[in-house]
Amino acid sequence: MGIGIVGLGMAAVVSDKVGRRWSFIVFSVPSVANYIVLYYARSAVAFMLSRFLAGTAMGAMFALKLCVPSEYAGPKTRAMFLNMISTLAPSVGSCVAHALGIVLHWRIVALIGVIPAVVGIFLPYFWVESPHWLASKGRFDECEDSFRKLHDTTANTEAELELLLKVERTKQQKAIESDTMKTSEKIKIACRKKYFWDLMLLSVFISAFLASAGKLAFSTLAVTIISGMTGPENIFIFTMVVDICVIFGAIASCILIRKISMRSMLFTTGSIGIIVLVSLSACLYFKTDSVYFKWANVGLLSLYFFIVKSGPYPILEALLGEIYPIELKVYFFFFSGTILMTAVTLSVFLLPLMVSLMGYHGMFLTNAGIMCLSLGYIWIRLPETKGRTLQEIEIYFKTKNHKIEEVLTNEQMKNLI
């Protein structure tokens, strides 16, 4: 966890200085190095080096995978692309890793992991730089050029570009007038603003939901969890069934997210997921040794992950890519990412203790309670973000006002700093 937080901090500084494109290249290098070191590792020092490289890359990539698609995609497709990168791709990767980990030696699996990591080094050479990052740095001509390469020239995209330039120019002007051009000064000011603490508290409940919903625990301990629920027999088949449902859930989310509002999708699937998890808890409490009962448990677990992967996971991770102000987004990711990494790491470390104290049925019931509480807070605090530009979302959280023209022409303009 600590190394991941270091990676988050490094990503914040590097991406703020050199942009999103080069940051992706820079932090793909330790990922490649990790798999190579792990393949040849024969000593404790080599394994520790591998963990350091993996943690640094993971922390940095967590921020970048949310930052890049949110800034490159338009309002109508932003949530879908965020979903594909943060939910669908990891689901496929997790399924492949679980299958390979069961049938192949772990060193071979590590060697295979080099391939996607190397792609992460070379692919960004073909990108343009983020127009939002360019605008936040006052490079408005480059921003226009980059934006038009990413988007078709239509009335809607030109209006979005005009809004981006107008808001960022206003922020630049106010920063110059108040002598707050330095990033450190902007962070200090943000920490004294109510919107900062509102966003951090929202991040706490988002993190609590993701951690208790099994965001990291299942991907790292899938075989252990399923074996503990069903026994060692047919563990490969059971694991593949759950993983395939996870992938189908992620695919379903790509379809649903284009047709349904973010709030409706989040709270409907989130509520259903909690009900299924409580049902699974009840089944495990009244468990028998029947093979049909084992399949019933695996079926409920598969259904649960299908539901949370089709709604809560992609929506909440997409929100983390949308709700933070552009000029400080990577630094906000550092704060919120630290919260999230702490939560999901605790969920993994505490899992054996919770299982030993209350069994899987008690752990699932406790997690369902945390998810219910978190979902209630998010319901109260979260506005609808689908179809809104990043500037509209930012201004709403800073001023609680959706009318951008009104904000830019009155005393609320000072809140944009």
Side-chain angles (χ1 to χ4, degrees):
M1 181 187 73
I3 300 172
I5 294 172
V6 170
L8 272 173
M10 293 172 64
V13 174
V14 173
S15 64
D16 181 50
K17 299 296 183 183
V18 304
R20 317 310 191 202
R21 175 170 169 260
W22 279 102
S23 295
F24 209 96
I25 294 171
V26 168
F27 290 107
S28 292
V29 173
S31 183
V32 174
N34 158 57
Y35 288 116
I36 294 173
V37 170
L38 186 60
Y39 178 76
Y40 289 104
R42 292 292 188 280
S43 66
V45 173
F47 284 113
M48 290 299 294
L49 176 59
S50 170
R51 295 299 297 169
F52 176 80
L53 292 168
T56 302
M58 180 198 71
M61 286 301 179
F62 166 75
L64 292 172
K65 76 175 183 179
L66 296 178
C67 188
V68 169
S70 69
E71 295 182 1
Y72 280 62
K76 294 183 179 179
T77 58
R78 184 177 61 238
M80 185 189 69
F81 284 119
L82 278 165
N83 175 31
M84 292 174 66
I85 291 172
S86 67
T87 303
L88 179 57
S91 297
V92 175
S94 179
C95 178
V96 172
H98 289 161
L100 294 178
I102 292 174
V103 299
L104 296 177
H105 191 276
W106 62 266
R107 291 188 189 276
I108 303 300
V109 178
L111 197 61
I112 294 172
V114 172
I115 299 172
V118 169
V119 172
I121 294 178
F122 292 102
L123 193 61
Y125 278 110
F126 302 97
W127 298 357
V128 296
E129 186 51 81
S130 162
H132 291 79
W133 178 81
L134 291 169
S136 72
K137 296 300 178 183
R139 296 160 61 175
F140 298 114
D141 290 339
E142 293 174 73
C143 168
E144 290 187 55
D145 183 56
S146 176
F147 187 93
R148 291 194 173 105
K149 286 180 179 178
L150 287 170
H151 304 283
D152 293 332
T153 304
T154 65
N156 287 337
T157 58
E158 287 300 306
E160 183 186 344
L161 174 58
E162 183 181 352
L163 178 61
L164 167 62
L165 296 173
K166 187 172 185 178
V167 170
E168 292 305 313
R169 280 180 173 135
T170 301
K171 287 158 66 175
Q172 289 274 326
Q173 178 186 345
K174 296 302 294 182
I176 293 171
E177 291 174 0
S178 58
D179 193 24
T180 54
M181 288 295 292
K182 292 183 178 179
T183 299
S184 58
E185 291 297 324
K186 292 179 180 179
I187 294 174
K188 289 178 183 178
I189 292 173
C191 290
R192 295 196 294 267
K193 298 284 189 178
K194 182 178 181 296
Y195 82 86
F196 172 82
W197 296 105
D198 286 342
L199 288 174
M200 288 303 103
L201 188 57
L202 183 60
S203 297
V204 168
F205 283 95
I206 289 175
S207 300
F209 186 99
L210 291 173
S212 58
K215 174 65 179 174
L216 180 63
F218 182 76
S219 61
T220 55
L221 300 173
V223 176
T224 301
I225 292 172
I226 296 174
S227 178
M229 290 171 51
T230 65
E233 297 84 6
N234 299 317
I235 188 63
F236 179 80
I237 296 174
F238 287 155
T239 303
M240 288 301 99
V241 167
V242 176
D243 275 332
I244 290 171
C245 286
V246 165
I247 293 174
F248 277 117
I251 294 172
S253 69
C254 293
I255 299 171
L256 293 173
I257 212 164
R258 299 197 67 177
K259 299 180 179 295
I260 306 173
S261 72
M262 301 273 275
R263 280 180 60 89
S264 298
M265 186 173 166
L266 170 61
F267 297 114
T268 301
T269 55
S271 300
I272 296 172
I274 291 170
I275 293 170
V276 173
L277 194 59
V278 172
S279 301
L280 176 60
S281 174
C283 284
L284 290 171
Y285 182 76
F286 297 103
K287 67 179 179 179
T288 69
D289 293 329
S290 168
V291 66
Y292 300 107
F293 201 77
K294 291 179 181 180
W295 273 107
N297 289 335
V298 171
L300 282 172
L301 186 65
S302 301
L303 177 61
Y304 167 73
F305 278 107
F306 173 84
I307 292 168
V308 294
K309 281 287 186 176
S310 66
Y313 280 9
I315 294 295
L316 293 177
E317 291 202 336
L319 288 170
L320 291 176
E322 294 178 337
I323 62 179
Y324 301 129
I326 293 169
E327 72 276 9
L328 297 177
K329 177 177 286 189
V330 286
Y331 295 98
F332 275 56
F333 276 146
F334 172 73
F335 297 124
S336 64
T338 300
I339 296 169
L340 179 58
M341 285 188 178
T342 302
V344 296
T345 303
L346 282 174
S347 72
V348 173
F349 280 119
L350 293 178
L351 188 144
L353 178 62
M354 293 179 70
V355 171
S356 65
L357 291 176
M358 58 183 74
Y360 279 101
H361 64 277
M363 183 193 71
F364 287 143
L365 189 61
T366 301
N367 287 359
I370 297 172
M371 290 166 63
C372 188
L373 177 65
S374 301
L375 203 62
Y377 182 86
I378 296 169
W379 169 274
I380 296 171
R381 293 294 184 180
L382 182 68
E384 179 58 60
T385 62
K386 184 176 180 179
R388 298 187 184 276
T389 66
L390 295 180
Q391 287 68 46
E392 290 173 321
I393 297 169
E394 174 185 341
I395 287 177
Y396 173 78
F397 276 107
K398 286 183 174 181
T399 66
K400 303 302 180 186
N401 191 344
H402 281 301
K403 299 177 181 178
I404 292 182
E405 292 298 330
E406 183 179 310
V407 171
L408 296 179
T409 55
N410 65 20
E411 70 280 356
Q412 285 186 312
M413 189 167 63
K414 63 180 181 294
N415 293 324
L416 298 184
I417 303 300

